[in-house]
Amino acid sequence: MAEPSGSGDSISLECPGLDTAAGEEFLQEVFQILLEEGVRKSTDVTQKVCDWKEPQELRDLLDLELRSDGEGRERLLQRCRDVLRFSVRTGHPRFFNQLFSGLDHHALAGRFLTETLNTSPYTYEVAPVLVLMEEQVLAKLRELVGWSSGDGIFAPGGSMSNMLAMNVARFRRFPESRSRGNWDLPRLGLFASQESHYSILKGAALLGIGTDNVHLVRTDERGKMIPEELEKEIQRVKAEVPSTRWTPSPTSVPATGYGCMWTADSVTWNPHKLLMVGLQCSAFLLHDSSGLLQRCHGVGASYLFQRDKFYDVSLDTGDKSPQCGRRADSLKLWILWKAVGTRGLAQRVERAFSATRYLLEQVKRREGFQLVMEPEFINLCFWFIPPSLRGQENSPEFWDKLGKVAPAIKEKMIRRGSMMVGYQPQGSHVNFFRQIITNPAVTRQDLDFFLDEIQELGWDL
């Protein structure tokens, strides 16, 4: 007989408060739903990329209200199916919208393991396997960057990794900022490329540097910072605000581990993008091996980081991060790396470049498609010019009208569910498509379909 609800005194503690047998049965059924709806259909090119619903329609379909009493097993299983059905299938071969497209089965297994373990890799005692795993993965990533020593930590996304870099850079130059804050410091300035990630501005706001003190340096036509312009900007700011101390923005590789590196103090590397590890997996790597991360962030909480433990307490690495609880994001990268090896990961990068080159050739050949610029990596930026606008390039209204084409085409493709691709303006360029290929499941047929679909959807605009 069930115990009556009410105060804590009326609850029996003689038996467990969970029905583990029913829970395991529920999980087995959920795993079947995940495999069929979340894995097979998500990666099946014959399925829609998304089943688009307007917000209110979706609210009604999902019945999102949280009530006093729980629901039965069948209803909960249907909830799980609905979550998968009405979400975007980012593993689909025709999802080109973000850098985290595609689905790797080994990495997904790693994500299941991480969630099942439900622990934080901040101390060796609660996460011995994961602490050693993170140590090895960070060392291997540094090795690929070209560093035989150094430090690092996994962070919740590339933006946070960049902000860690900014915080560590400030601490290295002004260690007193840790205890006294910005009050006793000179006015700080931060210099970054005009094309730098928006996390630089967010980081300046979060760290108290201030967005007004972020100075964006001109870039060339390919979006690269012009070194001479950096020097000019530094000299200009120093002349206008003599007390300003400057620090470079963090050098980062925000996506993929491209095959080219440069001298840097720190690198942000997001394996959840081109390497298809799955969200989230971002490593902040430091060349410095003097314990800078620990000195910058550590406070030695006595309930976690006791110094008199029976094992090597240098393995309690959690104090290097401003977080307390952290996901064990290295596990899914480790198991993927074990599965395919360094050569397998490299082949994924090479395949993405090959796919981009093929698409570039097709864009150049097709009437109505116009490149914004020649791609260097895996981002292909182009306009589609509908027949109604062709030959009007010298008209004053041409660019204004062209800027409305990409949004209109994207709306059509999402409502149809055929594919998904991003668009954006940049500088003087009106909205253009920004096509990204990271998923090794993408074939030549998918790329041809991509261009055919844009052409069809935009033909009568």
Side-chain angles (χ1 to χ4, degrees):
M1 186 175 192
E3 293 289 336
S5 60
S7 67
D9 292 339
S10 64
I11 296 177
S12 172
L13 300 180
E14 297 301 319
C15 300
L18 292 174
D19 186 341
T20 55
E24 289 180 9
E25 182 181 353
F26 176 73
L27 275 179
Q28 288 177 350
E29 294 184 84
V30 170
F31 285 145
Q32 290 301 313
I33 293 171
L34 283 171
L35 186 59
E36 181 61 31
E37 300 287 338
V39 176
R40 290 173 183 158
K41 288 186 178 179
S42 178
T43 56
D44 183 352
V45 74
T46 66
Q47 298 289 319
K48 288 184 175 182
V49 173
C50 65
D51 185 359
W52 177 258
K53 305 294 179 186
E54 294 298 328
Q56 190 53 53
E57 181 185 7
L58 190 56
R59 290 188 186 99
D60 295 339
L61 284 168
L62 295 176
D63 182 19
L64 296 170
E65 182 182 349
L66 300 172
R67 300 178 177 89
S68 299
D69 295 325
E71 297 181 336
R73 182 173 58 87
E74 288 302 324
R75 192 71 189 93
L76 290 174
L77 291 172
Q78 186 57 46
R79 301 276 189 210
C80 294
R81 294 187 188 93
D82 289 344
V83 167
L84 293 168
R85 175 187 170 190
F86 295 117
S87 293
V88 176
R89 290 171 168 152
T90 62
H92 197 286
R94 293 172 184 173
F95 175 82
F96 304 107
N97 212 68
Q98 258 76 39
L99 277 160
F100 54 75
S101 66
L103 185 150
D104 181 273
H105 299 80
H106 298 100
L108 182 58
R111 291 151 76 182
F112 289 154
L113 289 170
T114 299
E115 294 303 312
T116 303
L117 290 172
N118 188 39
T119 191
S120 174
Y122 47 26
T123 65
Y124 182 80
E125 65 182 278
V126 298
V129 174
L130 303 176
V131 165
L132 297 181
M133 193 174 285
E134 183 174 76
E135 178 184 64
Q136 174 62 29
V137 171
L138 288 170
K140 190 65 177 181
L141 291 175
R142 288 195 303 269
E143 179 186 319
L144 292 179
V145 171
W147 300 337
S148 58
S149 62
D151 203 350
I153 201 78
F154 278 86
S159 290
M160 290 306 301
S161 289
N162 282 345
M163 293 178 198
L164 288 181
M166 295 167 68
N167 195 39
V168 169
R170 178 177 60 179
F171 174 79
R172 185 176 187 179
R173 178 64 181 84
F174 300 103
E176 65 271 25
S177 65
R178 172 187 160 95
S179 57
R180 290 186 282 179
N182 290 335
W183 296 101
D184 290 339
L185 302 185
R187 182 174 177 180
L188 300 181
L190 191 147
F191 295 81
S193 157
Q194 283 181 335
E195 304 303 328
S196 60
H197 195 263
Y198 70 90
S199 60
I200 303 303
L201 287 170
K202 284 193 171 188
L206 180 66
L207 297 173
I209 295 172
T211 56
D212 288 349
N213 296 311
V214 176
H215 307 284
L216 301 180
V217 181
R218 284 181 54 204
T219 58
D220 61 19
E221 67 280 358
R222 304 206 55 78
K224 298 177 181 178
M225 181 188 286
I226 303 171
E228 295 79 10
E229 292 299 322
L230 172 61
E231 182 61 32
K232 287 180 184 178
E233 186 66 9
I234 291 172
Q235 295 306 321
R236 182 191 69 79
V237 173
K238 289 174 70 175
E240 290 184 5
V241 189
S243 64
T244 296
R245 304 289 184 90
W246 70 277
T247 183
S249 66
T251 301
S252 64
V253 181
T256 58
Y258 295 137
C260 53
M261 293 291 178
W262 55 90
T263 301
D265 292 322
S266 64
V267 168
T268 293
W269 192 338
N270 294 343
H272 65 234
K273 295 181 179 175
L274 183 51
L275 297 185
M276 270 184 31
V277 176
L279 288 168
Q280 58 198 24
C281 188
S282 177
F284 171 56
L285 307 176
L286 265 178
H287 198 186
D288 181 279
S289 57
S290 69
L292 191 59
L293 270 173
Q294 177 70 34
R295 298 198 310 277
C296 180
H297 297 128
V299 294
S302 60
Y303 74 101
L304 282 176
F305 307 114
Q306 304 93 337
R307 306 305 297 172
D308 56 356
K309 292 180 178 180
F310 63 93
Y311 60 84
D312 179 5
V313 294
S314 69
L315 293 171
D316 290 353
T317 57
D319 220 14
K320 295 193 295 186
S321 170
Q323 296 173 254
C324 181
R326 286 194 301 123
R327 289 171 56 89
D329 290 326
S330 64
L331 195 162
K332 53 196 170 189
L333 175 55
W334 180 86
I335 201 166
L336 168 61
W337 211 322
K338 281 288 191 180
V340 304
T342 306
R343 288 193 182 93
L345 295 177
Q347 288 171 0
R348 293 188 177 185
V349 177
E350 292 165 0
R351 184 183 176 92
F353 278 83
S354 295
T356 302
R357 286 192 293 269
Y358 173 79
L359 195 64
L360 172 63
E361 294 170 0
Q362 298 304 309
V363 165
K364 287 181 175 180
R365 291 176 183 173
R366 294 197 181 209
E367 185 179 6
F369 289 85
Q370 181 178 326
L371 283 175
V372 176
M373 65 179 69
E374 288 279 341
E376 285 189 338
F377 298 119
I378 56 171
N379 292 344
L380 189 67
C381 303
F382 64 92
W383 292 289
F384 175 71
I385 305 174
S388 63
L389 293 181
R390 294 173 196 173
Q392 300 183 30
E393 286 78 0
N394 295 326
S395 166
E397 299 85 16
F398 173 78
W399 292 105
D400 180 61
K401 292 179 179 178
L402 184 60
K404 299 175 182 178
V405 170
I409 292 176
K410 181 164 185 175
E411 179 183 351
K412 287 184 176 183
M413 73 175 67
I414 290 179
R415 291 188 180 281
R416 181 182 283 189
S418 57
M419 63 183 192
M420 192 177 289
V421 64
Y423 71 85
Q424 67 174 82
Q426 185 175 22
S428 61
H429 298 310
V430 299
N431 284 323
F432 54 83
F433 287 110
R434 178 172 173 255
Q435 208 270 12
I436 304 167
I437 303 170
T438 60
N439 185 355
V442 171
T443 65
R444 182 180 299 178
Q445 289 75 23
D446 296 317
L447 299 175
D448 290 339
F449 174 87
F450 170 77
L451 296 179
D452 291 341
E453 186 76 349
I454 287 179
Q455 190 167 8
E456 178 186 337
L457 296 175
W459 190 259
D460 59 354
L461 293 178

